[in-house]
PDB file of all heavy atoms in Angstrom:
ATOM      1  N   GLU A 143     -12.459 -11.906  -2.241  1.00  0.00           N
ATOM      2  CA  GLU A 143     -11.679 -13.146  -2.383  1.00  0.00           C
ATOM      3  C   GLU A 143     -10.233 -12.823  -2.405  1.00  0.00           C
ATOM      4  O   GLU A 143      -9.373 -13.579  -1.863  1.00  0.00           O
ATOM      5  CB  GLU A 143     -12.102 -13.904  -3.608  1.00  0.00           C
ATOM      6  CG  GLU A 143     -13.473 -14.558  -3.535  1.00  0.00           C
ATOM      7  CD  GLU A 143     -14.680 -13.551  -3.760  1.00  0.00           C
ATOM      8  OE1 GLU A 143     -14.465 -12.584  -4.541  1.00  0.00           O
ATOM      9  OE2 GLU A 143     -15.667 -13.719  -3.074  1.00  0.00           O
ATOM     10  N   ASP A 158     -14.520 -12.068  18.216  1.00  0.00           N
ATOM     11  CA  ASP A 158     -15.695 -12.849  18.379  1.00  0.00           C
ATOM     12  C   ASP A 158     -16.564 -12.859  17.188  1.00  0.00           C
ATOM     13  O   ASP A 158     -17.735 -13.387  17.263  1.00  0.00           O
ATOM     14  CB  ASP A 158     -16.475 -12.353  19.598  1.00  0.00           C
ATOM     15  CG  ASP A 158     -17.061 -10.991  19.421  1.00  0.00           C
ATOM     16  OD1 ASP A 158     -16.505 -10.216  18.601  1.00  0.00           O
ATOM     17  OD2 ASP A 158     -18.060 -10.711  20.123  1.00  0.00           O
ATOM     18  N   ARG A 159     -16.091 -12.335  16.075  1.00  0.00           N
ATOM     19  CA  ARG A 159     -16.870 -12.351  14.794  1.00  0.00           C
ATOM     20  C   ARG A 159     -15.945 -12.739  13.666  1.00  0.00           C
ATOM     21  O   ARG A 159     -14.685 -12.728  13.864  1.00  0.00           O
ATOM     22  CB  ARG A 159     -17.459 -10.971  14.539  1.00  0.00           C
ATOM     23  CG  ARG A 159     -18.638 -10.685  15.491  1.00  0.00           C
ATOM     24  CD  ARG A 159     -19.342  -9.366  15.040  1.00  0.00           C
ATOM     25  NE  ARG A 159     -20.501  -9.070  15.865  1.00  0.00           N
ATOM     26  CZ  ARG A 159     -21.195  -7.986  15.782  1.00  0.00           C
ATOM     27  NH1 ARG A 159     -20.864  -7.061  14.898  1.00  0.00           N
ATOM     28  NH2 ARG A 159     -22.284  -7.809  16.639  1.00  0.00           N
ATOM     29  N   THR A 165     -14.157  -2.135   4.351  1.00  0.00           N
ATOM     30  CA  THR A 165     -15.373  -2.093   3.634  1.00  0.00           C
ATOM     31  C   THR A 165     -15.237  -1.442   2.272  1.00  0.00           C
ATOM     32  O   THR A 165     -15.830  -1.877   1.314  1.00  0.00           O
ATOM     33  CB  THR A 165     -16.514  -1.322   4.497  1.00  0.00           C
ATOM     34  OG1 THR A 165     -16.746  -2.049   5.652  1.00  0.00           O
ATOM     35  CG2 THR A 165     -17.770  -1.155   3.645  1.00  0.00           C
ATOM     36  N   GLN A 168     -10.106  -2.514  -1.337  1.00  0.00           N
ATOM     37  CA  GLN A 168      -8.706  -2.122  -1.381  1.00  0.00           C
ATOM     38  C   GLN A 168      -7.787  -2.994  -2.343  1.00  0.00           C
ATOM     39  O   GLN A 168      -6.770  -2.533  -2.757  1.00  0.00           O
ATOM     40  CB  GLN A 168      -8.096  -2.142  -0.006  1.00  0.00           C
ATOM     41  CG  GLN A 168      -8.717  -1.177   0.993  1.00  0.00           C
ATOM     42  CD  GLN A 168      -8.367   0.279   0.623  1.00  0.00           C
ATOM     43  OE1 GLN A 168      -7.247   0.674   0.782  1.00  0.00           O
ATOM     44  NE2 GLN A 168      -9.288   0.956   0.110  1.00  0.00           N
ATOM     45  N   TRP A 172      -4.125  -1.881  -4.353  1.00  0.00           N
ATOM     46  CA  TRP A 172      -2.761  -2.410  -4.113  1.00  0.00           C
ATOM     47  C   TRP A 172      -2.265  -3.038  -5.405  1.00  0.00           C
ATOM     48  O   TRP A 172      -1.111  -2.940  -5.759  1.00  0.00           O
ATOM     49  CB  TRP A 172      -2.848  -3.417  -2.980  1.00  0.00           C
ATOM     50  CG  TRP A 172      -2.979  -2.784  -1.656  1.00  0.00           C
ATOM     51  CD1 TRP A 172      -4.129  -2.630  -0.933  1.00  0.00           C
ATOM     52  CD2 TRP A 172      -1.949  -2.218  -0.810  1.00  0.00           C
ATOM     53  NE1 TRP A 172      -3.956  -2.002   0.251  1.00  0.00           N
ATOM     54  CE2 TRP A 172      -2.570  -1.755   0.404  1.00  0.00           C
ATOM     55  CE3 TRP A 172      -0.559  -2.157  -0.948  1.00  0.00           C
ATOM     56  CZ2 TRP A 172      -1.851  -1.158   1.406  1.00  0.00           C
ATOM     57  CZ3 TRP A 172       0.129  -1.523   0.076  1.00  0.00           C
ATOM     58  CH2 TRP A 172      -0.488  -1.105   1.253  1.00  0.00           C
ATOM     59  N   HIS A 185       9.668  -0.577 -18.202  1.00  0.00           N
ATOM     60  CA  HIS A 185       9.930   0.617 -19.012  1.00  0.00           C
ATOM     61  C   HIS A 185      11.361   1.095 -18.931  1.00  0.00           C
ATOM     62  O   HIS A 185      11.992   1.498 -19.932  1.00  0.00           O
ATOM     63  CB  HIS A 185       8.969   1.737 -18.655  1.00  0.00           C
ATOM     64  CG  HIS A 185       9.276   3.029 -19.336  1.00  0.00           C
ATOM     65  ND1 HIS A 185       9.193   3.299 -20.695  1.00  0.00           N
ATOM     66  CD2 HIS A 185       9.682   4.185 -18.781  1.00  0.00           C
ATOM     67  CE1 HIS A 185       9.513   4.481 -21.007  1.00  0.00           C
ATOM     68  NE2 HIS A 185       9.884   5.115 -19.891  1.00  0.00           N
ATOM     69  N   ARG A 189      14.038   1.507 -21.886  1.00  0.00           N
ATOM     70  CA  ARG A 189      14.741   2.740 -22.168  1.00  0.00           C
ATOM     71  C   ARG A 189      16.195   2.419 -22.479  1.00  0.00           C
ATOM     72  O   ARG A 189      16.792   2.991 -23.375  1.00  0.00           O
ATOM     73  CB  ARG A 189      14.671   3.630 -20.935  1.00  0.00           C
ATOM     74  CG  ARG A 189      13.762   4.782 -21.113  1.00  0.00           C
ATOM     75  CD  ARG A 189      14.228   5.788 -22.012  1.00  0.00           C
ATOM     76  NE  ARG A 189      13.520   7.021 -22.009  1.00  0.00           N
ATOM     77  CZ  ARG A 189      13.896   8.056 -22.776  1.00  0.00           C
ATOM     78  NH1 ARG A 189      14.927   7.975 -23.587  1.00  0.00           N
ATOM     79  NH2 ARG A 189      13.212   9.184 -22.705  1.00  0.00           N
ATOM     80  N   ARG A 190      16.781   1.442 -21.721  1.00  0.00           N
ATOM     81  CA  ARG A 190      18.187   1.172 -21.914  1.00  0.00           C
ATOM     82  C   ARG A 190      18.428   0.270 -23.122  1.00  0.00           C
ATOM     83  O   ARG A 190      19.433   0.309 -23.737  1.00  0.00           O
ATOM     84  CB  ARG A 190      18.684   0.351 -20.650  1.00  0.00           C
ATOM     85  CG  ARG A 190      18.881   1.179 -19.385  1.00  0.00           C
ATOM     86  CD  ARG A 190      18.993   0.256 -18.177  1.00  0.00           C
ATOM     87  NE  ARG A 190      20.051  -0.733 -18.333  1.00  0.00           N
ATOM     88  CZ  ARG A 190      20.043  -1.973 -17.772  1.00  0.00           C
ATOM     89  NH1 ARG A 190      19.080  -2.276 -16.926  1.00  0.00           N
ATOM     90  NH2 ARG A 190      21.022  -2.754 -17.929  1.00  0.00           N
ATOM     91  N   ARG A 193      14.022  -3.081 -25.576  1.00  0.00           N
ATOM     92  CA  ARG A 193      13.197  -4.297 -25.545  1.00  0.00           C
ATOM     93  C   ARG A 193      12.065  -4.214 -24.607  1.00  0.00           C
ATOM     94  O   ARG A 193      12.221  -3.722 -23.488  1.00  0.00           O
ATOM     95  CB  ARG A 193      14.117  -5.486 -25.107  1.00  0.00           C
ATOM     96  CG  ARG A 193      15.275  -5.717 -26.119  1.00  0.00           C
ATOM     97  CD  ARG A 193      16.225  -6.794 -25.487  1.00  0.00           C
ATOM     98  NE  ARG A 193      15.562  -8.094 -25.306  1.00  0.00           N
ATOM     99  CZ  ARG A 193      15.418  -8.967 -26.308  1.00  0.00           C
ATOM    100  NH1 ARG A 193      15.923  -8.734 -27.509  1.00  0.00           N
ATOM    101  NH2 ARG A 193      14.798 -10.154 -26.107  1.00  0.00           N
ATOM    102  N   GLN A 195       8.705  -6.044 -22.556  1.00  0.00           N
ATOM    103  CA  GLN A 195       8.544  -7.230 -21.683  1.00  0.00           C
ATOM    104  C   GLN A 195       7.081  -7.382 -21.389  1.00  0.00           C
ATOM    105  O   GLN A 195       6.263  -6.475 -21.480  1.00  0.00           O
ATOM    106  CB  GLN A 195       9.306  -7.058 -20.345  1.00  0.00           C
ATOM    107  CG  GLN A 195      10.791  -7.114 -20.514  1.00  0.00           C
ATOM    108  CD  GLN A 195      11.425  -7.219 -19.127  1.00  0.00           C
ATOM    109  OE1 GLN A 195      11.387  -8.278 -18.501  1.00  0.00           O
ATOM    110  NE2 GLN A 195      11.979  -6.125 -18.604  1.00  0.00           N
ATOM    111  N   ASP A 198       3.573  -9.771 -15.602  1.00  0.00           N
ATOM    112  CA  ASP A 198       2.505 -10.665 -15.143  1.00  0.00           C
ATOM    113  C   ASP A 198       2.220 -10.349 -13.649  1.00  0.00           C
ATOM    114  O   ASP A 198       3.084 -10.680 -12.858  1.00  0.00           O
ATOM    115  CB  ASP A 198       2.927 -12.095 -15.393  1.00  0.00           C
ATOM    116  CG  ASP A 198       1.882 -13.153 -14.871  1.00  0.00           C
ATOM    117  OD1 ASP A 198       0.952 -12.739 -14.208  1.00  0.00           O
ATOM    118  OD2 ASP A 198       2.086 -14.329 -15.061  1.00  0.00           O
ATOM    119  N   ARG A 225      -6.626 -11.659  14.475  1.00  0.00           N
ATOM    120  CA  ARG A 225      -7.293 -10.393  14.617  1.00  0.00           C
ATOM    121  C   ARG A 225      -7.627 -10.063  16.047  1.00  0.00           C
ATOM    122  O   ARG A 225      -7.890 -10.966  16.833  1.00  0.00           O
ATOM    123  CB  ARG A 225      -8.611 -10.369  13.770  1.00  0.00           C
ATOM    124  CG  ARG A 225      -9.664 -11.401  14.314  1.00  0.00           C
ATOM    125  CD  ARG A 225     -10.676 -11.704  13.193  1.00  0.00           C
ATOM    126  NE  ARG A 225     -11.653 -12.665  13.658  1.00  0.00           N
ATOM    127  CZ  ARG A 225     -11.508 -13.988  13.802  1.00  0.00           C
ATOM    128  NH1 ARG A 225     -10.249 -14.471  13.591  1.00  0.00           N
ATOM    129  NH2 ARG A 225     -12.470 -14.710  14.239  1.00  0.00           N
ATOM    130  N   ASN A 242      -6.319   0.435  21.182  1.00  0.00           N
ATOM    131  CA  ASN A 242      -5.780   1.468  20.329  1.00  0.00           C
ATOM    132  C   ASN A 242      -6.861   2.379  19.752  1.00  0.00           C
ATOM    133  O   ASN A 242      -6.604   3.487  19.243  1.00  0.00           O
ATOM    134  CB  ASN A 242      -5.153   0.733  19.091  1.00  0.00           C
ATOM    135  CG  ASN A 242      -3.851   1.336  18.727  1.00  0.00           C
ATOM    136  OD1 ASN A 242      -3.709   2.159  17.829  1.00  0.00           O
ATOM    137  ND2 ASN A 242      -2.823   0.952  19.434  1.00  0.00           N
ATOM    138  N   ALA A 337     -15.864  13.535   6.079  1.00  0.00           N
ATOM    139  CA  ALA A 337     -16.089  14.936   6.409  1.00  0.00           C
ATOM    140  C   ALA A 337     -14.860  15.511   7.081  1.00  0.00           C
ATOM    141  O   ALA A 337     -14.426  16.647   6.731  1.00  0.00           O
ATOM    142  CB  ALA A 337     -17.329  15.104   7.334  1.00  0.00           C
ATOM    143  N   GLN A 344      -4.100  20.215   7.002  1.00  0.00           N
ATOM    144  CA  GLN A 344      -2.825  19.798   6.380  1.00  0.00           C
ATOM    145  C   GLN A 344      -3.023  19.645   4.893  1.00  0.00           C
ATOM    146  O   GLN A 344      -2.212  20.119   4.112  1.00  0.00           O
ATOM    147  CB  GLN A 344      -2.311  18.501   7.017  1.00  0.00           C
ATOM    148  CG  GLN A 344      -1.111  17.914   6.382  1.00  0.00           C
ATOM    149  CD  GLN A 344       0.193  18.687   6.710  1.00  0.00           C
ATOM    150  OE1 GLN A 344       0.204  19.609   7.476  1.00  0.00           O
ATOM    151  NE2 GLN A 344       1.241  18.370   5.944  1.00  0.00           N
ATOM    152  N   ARG A 348      -1.463  22.262   1.868  1.00  0.00           N
ATOM    153  CA  ARG A 348      -0.494  21.729   0.885  1.00  0.00           C
ATOM    154  C   ARG A 348      -1.117  21.726  -0.503  1.00  0.00           C
ATOM    155  O   ARG A 348      -0.436  21.378  -1.446  1.00  0.00           O
ATOM    156  CB  ARG A 348      -0.083  20.300   1.239  1.00  0.00           C
ATOM    157  CG  ARG A 348       0.997  20.361   2.318  1.00  0.00           C
ATOM    158  CD  ARG A 348       1.643  19.075   2.724  1.00  0.00           C
ATOM    159  NE  ARG A 348       1.950  18.097   1.796  1.00  0.00           N
ATOM    160  CZ  ARG A 348       3.201  17.877   1.251  1.00  0.00           C
ATOM    161  NH1 ARG A 348       4.191  18.708   1.598  1.00  0.00           N
ATOM    162  NH2 ARG A 348       3.418  16.921   0.395  1.00  0.00           N
ATOM    163  N   ASP A 373       9.992  18.754  -7.466  1.00  0.00           N
ATOM    164  CA  ASP A 373      10.412  20.120  -7.260  1.00  0.00           C
ATOM    165  C   ASP A 373       9.268  21.065  -6.879  1.00  0.00           C
ATOM    166  O   ASP A 373       9.128  22.109  -7.377  1.00  0.00           O
ATOM    167  CB  ASP A 373      11.064  20.619  -8.558  1.00  0.00           C
ATOM    168  CG  ASP A 373      12.430  19.946  -8.856  1.00  0.00           C
ATOM    169  OD1 ASP A 373      13.112  19.585  -7.885  1.00  0.00           O
ATOM    170  OD2 ASP A 373      12.729  19.748 -10.025  1.00  0.00           O
TER     171      ASP A 373
ATOM    172  N   ALA B   4      16.858  -5.425 -14.552  1.00  0.00           N
ATOM    173  CA  ALA B   4      16.123  -4.271 -15.181  1.00  0.00           C
ATOM    174  C   ALA B   4      16.719  -2.949 -14.810  1.00  0.00           C
ATOM    175  O   ALA B   4      16.823  -2.082 -15.664  1.00  0.00           O
ATOM    176  CB  ALA B   4      14.706  -4.312 -14.773  1.00  0.00           C
ATOM    177  N   SER B 135       5.862  19.905   4.305  1.00  0.00           N
ATOM    178  CA  SER B 135       5.374  21.251   4.715  1.00  0.00           C
ATOM    179  C   SER B 135       3.982  21.120   5.311  1.00  0.00           C
ATOM    180  O   SER B 135       3.390  20.016   5.265  1.00  0.00           O
ATOM    181  CB  SER B 135       5.299  22.130   3.550  1.00  0.00           C
ATOM    182  OG  SER B 135       4.483  21.588   2.577  1.00  0.00           O
ATOM    183  N   ARG B 138       0.923  20.088  10.070  1.00  0.00           N
ATOM    184  CA  ARG B 138       1.209  18.847  10.808  1.00  0.00           C
ATOM    185  C   ARG B 138       2.548  18.261  10.452  1.00  0.00           C
ATOM    186  O   ARG B 138       2.862  17.096  10.836  1.00  0.00           O
ATOM    187  CB  ARG B 138       0.091  17.790  10.503  1.00  0.00           C
ATOM    188  CG  ARG B 138      -1.175  18.019  11.266  1.00  0.00           C
ATOM    189  CD  ARG B 138      -1.899  16.729  11.526  1.00  0.00           C
ATOM    190  NE  ARG B 138      -2.195  15.962  10.382  1.00  0.00           N
ATOM    191  CZ  ARG B 138      -3.312  16.153   9.631  1.00  0.00           C
ATOM    192  NH1 ARG B 138      -4.187  17.126   9.955  1.00  0.00           N
ATOM    193  NH2 ARG B 138      -3.541  15.433   8.539  1.00  0.00           N
ATOM    194  N   THR B 146      -0.751   3.183  13.571  1.00  0.00           N
ATOM    195  CA  THR B 146      -2.114   3.304  13.091  1.00  0.00           C
ATOM    196  C   THR B 146      -2.521   4.760  12.894  1.00  0.00           C
ATOM    197  O   THR B 146      -3.638   5.061  12.540  1.00  0.00           O
ATOM    198  CB  THR B 146      -3.083   2.614  14.021  1.00  0.00           C
ATOM    199  OG1 THR B 146      -2.831   3.138  15.333  1.00  0.00           O
ATOM    200  CG2 THR B 146      -2.870   1.197  14.014  1.00  0.00           C
ATOM    201  N   ASP B 162     -22.301  -2.013  14.048  1.00  0.00           N
ATOM    202  CA  ASP B 162     -22.865  -1.876  15.396  1.00  0.00           C
ATOM    203  C   ASP B 162     -21.756  -1.848  16.449  1.00  0.00           C
ATOM    204  O   ASP B 162     -22.040  -1.906  17.618  1.00  0.00           O
ATOM    205  CB  ASP B 162     -23.779  -3.031  15.693  1.00  0.00           C
ATOM    206  CG  ASP B 162     -23.125  -4.391  15.620  1.00  0.00           C
ATOM    207  OD1 ASP B 162     -22.091  -4.507  14.870  1.00  0.00           O
ATOM    208  OD2 ASP B 162     -23.584  -5.360  16.273  1.00  0.00           O
ATOM    209  N   ARG B 163     -20.525  -1.673  15.981  1.00  0.00           N
ATOM    210  CA  ARG B 163     -19.384  -1.644  16.934  1.00  0.00           C
ATOM    211  C   ARG B 163     -18.395  -0.592  16.593  1.00  0.00           C
ATOM    212  O   ARG B 163     -18.463   0.029  15.525  1.00  0.00           O
ATOM    213  CB  ARG B 163     -18.704  -3.051  16.941  1.00  0.00           C
ATOM    214  CG  ARG B 163     -19.508  -4.129  17.570  1.00  0.00           C
ATOM    215  CD  ARG B 163     -18.715  -5.352  17.699  1.00  0.00           C
ATOM    216  NE  ARG B 163     -19.422  -6.357  18.438  1.00  0.00           N
ATOM    217  CZ  ARG B 163     -18.901  -7.576  18.708  1.00  0.00           C
ATOM    218  NH1 ARG B 163     -17.708  -7.875  18.333  1.00  0.00           N
ATOM    219  NH2 ARG B 163     -19.617  -8.437  19.416  1.00  0.00           N
ATOM    220  N   TYR B 172      -0.496   0.610   7.722  1.00  0.00           N
ATOM    221  CA  TYR B 172      -1.093   0.384   6.411  1.00  0.00           C
ATOM    222  C   TYR B 172      -0.613   1.445   5.373  1.00  0.00           C
ATOM    223  O   TYR B 172      -0.151   1.135   4.267  1.00  0.00           O
ATOM    224  CB  TYR B 172      -2.589   0.386   6.530  1.00  0.00           C
ATOM    225  CG  TYR B 172      -3.379   0.051   5.378  1.00  0.00           C
ATOM    226  CD1 TYR B 172      -3.521  -1.294   4.972  1.00  0.00           C
ATOM    227  CD2 TYR B 172      -4.095   0.974   4.675  1.00  0.00           C
ATOM    228  CE1 TYR B 172      -4.282  -1.699   3.910  1.00  0.00           C
ATOM    229  CE2 TYR B 172      -4.918   0.628   3.589  1.00  0.00           C
ATOM    230  CZ  TYR B 172      -4.985  -0.711   3.206  1.00  0.00           C
ATOM    231  OH  TYR B 172      -5.779  -1.056   2.099  1.00  0.00           O
ATOM    232  N   GLU B 190      12.828   8.616 -15.446  1.00  0.00           N
ATOM    233  CA  GLU B 190      12.400   8.928 -16.840  1.00  0.00           C
ATOM    234  C   GLU B 190      12.524  10.413 -17.097  1.00  0.00           C
ATOM    235  O   GLU B 190      12.956  10.784 -18.168  1.00  0.00           O
ATOM    236  CB  GLU B 190      10.980   8.412 -17.027  1.00  0.00           C
ATOM    237  CG  GLU B 190      10.328   8.812 -18.325  1.00  0.00           C
ATOM    238  CD  GLU B 190      11.023   8.172 -19.564  1.00  0.00           C
ATOM    239  OE1 GLU B 190      11.605   7.077 -19.459  1.00  0.00           O
ATOM    240  OE2 GLU B 190      11.030   8.885 -20.607  1.00  0.00           O
ATOM    241  N   GLU B 194      14.865  12.869 -20.010  1.00  0.00           N
ATOM    242  CA  GLU B 194      14.422  13.963 -20.895  1.00  0.00           C
ATOM    243  C   GLU B 194      15.090  15.327 -20.640  1.00  0.00           C
ATOM    244  O   GLU B 194      15.499  15.979 -21.548  1.00  0.00           O
ATOM    245  CB  GLU B 194      12.910  14.137 -20.793  1.00  0.00           C
ATOM    246  CG  GLU B 194      12.153  12.925 -21.070  1.00  0.00           C
ATOM    247  CD  GLU B 194      12.320  12.466 -22.450  1.00  0.00           C
ATOM    248  OE1 GLU B 194      12.712  13.160 -23.371  1.00  0.00           O
ATOM    249  OE2 GLU B 194      12.274  11.176 -22.661  1.00  0.00           O
ATOM    250  N   TYR B 200      13.739  16.827  -6.944  1.00  0.00           N
ATOM    251  CA  TYR B 200      13.458  16.595  -5.544  1.00  0.00           C
ATOM    252  C   TYR B 200      12.035  16.128  -5.443  1.00  0.00           C
ATOM    253  O   TYR B 200      11.106  16.850  -5.854  1.00  0.00           O
ATOM    254  CB  TYR B 200      13.679  17.850  -4.737  1.00  0.00           C
ATOM    255  CG  TYR B 200      13.312  17.670  -3.260  1.00  0.00           C
ATOM    256  CD1 TYR B 200      14.157  16.915  -2.455  1.00  0.00           C
ATOM    257  CD2 TYR B 200      12.157  18.175  -2.786  1.00  0.00           C
ATOM    258  CE1 TYR B 200      13.834  16.740  -1.084  1.00  0.00           C
ATOM    259  CE2 TYR B 200      11.824  17.953  -1.436  1.00  0.00           C
ATOM    260  CZ  TYR B 200      12.641  17.204  -0.614  1.00  0.00           C
ATOM    261  OH  TYR B 200      12.337  16.942   0.651  1.00  0.00           O
ATOM    262  N   GLU B 207      -0.943  11.555   1.991  1.00  0.00           N
ATOM    263  CA  GLU B 207      -1.585  11.845   0.708  1.00  0.00           C
ATOM    264  C   GLU B 207      -1.565  10.595  -0.206  1.00  0.00           C
ATOM    265  O   GLU B 207      -2.430  10.489  -1.025  1.00  0.00           O
ATOM    266  CB  GLU B 207      -0.928  13.055   0.087  1.00  0.00           C
ATOM    267  CG  GLU B 207      -1.251  14.339   0.857  1.00  0.00           C
ATOM    268  CD  GLU B 207      -0.684  15.541   0.155  1.00  0.00           C
ATOM    269  OE1 GLU B 207      -0.958  15.735  -1.040  1.00  0.00           O
ATOM    270  OE2 GLU B 207       0.046  16.325   0.806  1.00  0.00           O
ATOM    271  N   GLU B 226     -21.729   9.622   3.730  1.00  0.00           N
ATOM    272  CA  GLU B 226     -20.476   9.000   4.293  1.00  0.00           C
ATOM    273  C   GLU B 226     -20.624   7.544   4.125  1.00  0.00           C
ATOM    274  O   GLU B 226     -21.553   6.919   4.623  1.00  0.00           O
ATOM    275  CB  GLU B 226     -20.372   9.330   5.715  1.00  0.00           C
ATOM    276  CG  GLU B 226     -19.939  10.770   6.085  1.00  0.00           C
ATOM    277  CD  GLU B 226     -18.401  10.900   6.292  1.00  0.00           C
ATOM    278  OE1 GLU B 226     -17.694   9.855   6.072  1.00  0.00           O
ATOM    279  OE2 GLU B 226     -17.986  11.929   6.681  1.00  0.00           O
ATOM    280  N   ASP B 230     -19.085  -1.857   7.203  1.00  0.00           N
ATOM    281  CA  ASP B 230     -20.187  -2.797   7.137  1.00  0.00           C
ATOM    282  C   ASP B 230     -19.753  -4.187   7.149  1.00  0.00           C
ATOM    283  O   ASP B 230     -20.228  -5.008   6.322  1.00  0.00           O
ATOM    284  CB  ASP B 230     -21.059  -2.469   5.879  1.00  0.00           C
ATOM    285  CG  ASP B 230     -22.461  -3.027   6.016  1.00  0.00           C
ATOM    286  OD1 ASP B 230     -22.832  -3.516   7.102  1.00  0.00           O
ATOM    287  OD2 ASP B 230     -23.187  -2.970   4.993  1.00  0.00           O
ATOM    288  N   GLU B 249     -11.381 -21.415  13.329  1.00  0.00           N
ATOM    289  CA  GLU B 249     -10.539 -20.358  12.747  1.00  0.00           C
ATOM    290  C   GLU B 249     -10.031 -20.634  11.287  1.00  0.00           C
ATOM    291  O   GLU B 249      -9.000 -20.194  10.968  1.00  0.00           O
ATOM    292  CB  GLU B 249      -9.340 -20.048  13.662  1.00  0.00           C
ATOM    293  CG  GLU B 249      -9.696 -19.237  14.913  1.00  0.00           C
ATOM    294  CD  GLU B 249     -10.322 -17.906  14.620  1.00  0.00           C
ATOM    295  OE1 GLU B 249      -9.981 -17.301  13.561  1.00  0.00           O
ATOM    296  OE2 GLU B 249     -11.189 -17.422  15.399  1.00  0.00           O
ATOM    297  N   SER B 255     -18.879 -14.740  -2.455  1.00  0.00           N
ATOM    298  CA  SER B 255     -19.689 -13.596  -2.894  1.00  0.00           C
ATOM    299  C   SER B 255     -20.443 -13.902  -4.165  1.00  0.00           C
ATOM    300  O   SER B 255     -19.959 -14.720  -4.988  1.00  0.00           O
ATOM    301  CB  SER B 255     -18.800 -12.321  -3.047  1.00  0.00           C
ATOM    302  OG  SER B 255     -17.821 -12.580  -4.066  1.00  0.00           O
ATOM    303  N   GLN B 334       0.172 -21.636  -5.140  1.00  0.00           N
ATOM    304  CA  GLN B 334       0.327 -20.614  -6.125  1.00  0.00           C
ATOM    305  C   GLN B 334       1.384 -19.533  -5.773  1.00  0.00           C
ATOM    306  O   GLN B 334       2.150 -19.108  -6.618  1.00  0.00           O
ATOM    307  CB  GLN B 334      -1.016 -19.986  -6.453  1.00  0.00           C
ATOM    308  CG  GLN B 334      -0.974 -18.950  -7.571  1.00  0.00           C
ATOM    309  CD  GLN B 334      -0.437 -19.390  -8.942  1.00  0.00           C
ATOM    310  OE1 GLN B 334      -0.246 -20.608  -9.120  1.00  0.00           O
ATOM    311  NE2 GLN B 334      -0.170 -18.453  -9.790  1.00  0.00           N
ATOM    312  N   ARG B 338       4.852 -18.666  -7.764  1.00  0.00           N
ATOM    313  CA  ARG B 338       5.191 -17.299  -8.050  1.00  0.00           C
ATOM    314  C   ARG B 338       6.512 -16.833  -7.354  1.00  0.00           C
ATOM    315  O   ARG B 338       6.948 -15.748  -7.532  1.00  0.00           O
ATOM    316  CB  ARG B 338       4.089 -16.363  -7.729  1.00  0.00           C
ATOM    317  CG  ARG B 338       2.720 -16.658  -8.337  1.00  0.00           C
ATOM    318  CD  ARG B 338       2.484 -16.052  -9.672  1.00  0.00           C
ATOM    319  NE  ARG B 338       2.782 -14.673  -9.807  1.00  0.00           N
ATOM    320  CZ  ARG B 338       2.580 -14.003 -10.920  1.00  0.00           C
ATOM    321  NH1 ARG B 338       2.033 -14.579 -11.940  1.00  0.00           N
ATOM    322  NH2 ARG B 338       2.897 -12.703 -11.000  1.00  0.00           N
ATOM    323  N   GLU B 363      11.608 -10.920 -19.064  1.00  0.00           N
ATOM    324  CA  GLU B 363      13.051 -11.014 -19.386  1.00  0.00           C
ATOM    325  C   GLU B 363      13.956 -10.661 -18.229  1.00  0.00           C
ATOM    326  O   GLU B 363      15.145 -11.094 -18.208  1.00  0.00           O
ATOM    327  CB  GLU B 363      13.390 -10.006 -20.534  1.00  0.00           C
ATOM    328  CG  GLU B 363      13.140 -10.617 -21.880  1.00  0.00           C
ATOM    329  CD  GLU B 363      13.888  -9.868 -22.998  1.00  0.00           C
ATOM    330  OE1 GLU B 363      15.032  -9.338 -22.677  1.00  0.00           O
ATOM    331  OE2 GLU B 363      13.397  -9.893 -24.077  1.00  0.00           O
TER     332      GLU B 363
END
Side-chain angles (χ1 to χ4, degrees):
Chain A
E143 288 78 36
D158 65 335
R159 286 187 178 175
T165 298
Q168 295 292 290
W172 288 96
H185 170 64
R189 256 288 192 178
R190 288 166 52 207
R193 299 173 63 85
Q195 289 194 75
D198 174 356
R225 64 199 181 286
N242 224 263
Q344 175 70 10
R348 280 184 42 99
D373 291 327
Chain B
S135 61
R138 282 209 302 275
T146 52
D162 60 334
R163 290 188 172 181
Y172 188 74
E190 173 63 32
E194 300 304 329
Y200 177 74
E207 292 185 53
E226 286 263 7
D230 198 8
E249 285 299 330
S255 60
Q334 183 56 11
R338 305 272 314 180
E363 275 202 28

